[in-house]
Amino acid sequence: MPSTDVVTRIRERLWTQRNLTVVVAISLGLALTHGFSVVFGPDGSFLLLLAVGVVVPTLYDEYWPRYDRTWKAVGWIGVAAGVVAAAFAGLYWVGTEGLALAELPASAGAFVLITVGGIVTLGRWSHR
């Protein structure tokens, strides 16, 4: 049986702001990716999952000051995930319908624009 000290350390590590934001981002990414694949089909879903599950928490860590309350950080991740998913879907739709691109170039373009746009936007607003 593990000692309570080890269990306590593991629990504290799992409940850090960083780990919670990553878990929330990945969970939201899975849900948003499923919705995207229902509306648009499976093409582009992986890059949306990558954008929400990896890029969003990374941008939070790199360009946004840490909140004193974890629920605020989780809320920030939730709002950012929604914005990223909406922007990705919009850019994907413009690429496939408006520019008549194939699914792969449209989703790759949406991913690059969101990633670069997030870095530029948050870099300007960074409080660090």
Side-chain angles (χ1 to χ4, degrees), residues 34-124:
H34 175 69
F36 179 86
S37 65
V38 167
V39 173
F40 294 106
D43 297 323
S45 296
F46 177 73
L47 288 176
L48 174 59
L49 177 61
L50 193 63
V52 174
V54 176
V55 173
V56 168
T58 301
L59 290 175
Y60 175 76
D61 284 343
E62 295 294 324
Y63 295 101
W64 203 259
R66 295 211 183 282
Y67 285 111
D68 57 342
R69 303 265 191 238
T70 301
W71 66 268
K72 288 181 180 180
V74 170
W76 189 96
I77 294 293
V79 170
V83 168
V84 165
F88 186 92
L91 290 169
Y92 179 84
W93 183 81
V94 166
T96 55
E97 298 296 323
L99 301 175
L101 296 174
E103 290 83 6
L104 180 62
S107 60
F111 178 80
V112 169
L113 288 173
I114 286 169
T115 302
V116 171
I119 291 170
V120 169
T121 301
L122 292 178
R124 288 178 161 218

Side-chain angles (χ1 to χ4, degrees), residues 4-34:
T4 56
D5 185 46
V6 172
V7 172
T8 302
R9 284 188 294 158
I10 290 172
R11 186 179 302 129
E12 287 174 358
R13 184 165 177 105
L14 289 176
W15 286 100
T16 64
Q17 190 176 101
R18 165 83 172 130
N19 288 337
L20 279 176
T21 56
V22 169
V23 168
V24 168
I26 291 171
S27 300
L28 289 173
L30 290 170
L32 292 167
T33 298
H34 175 69

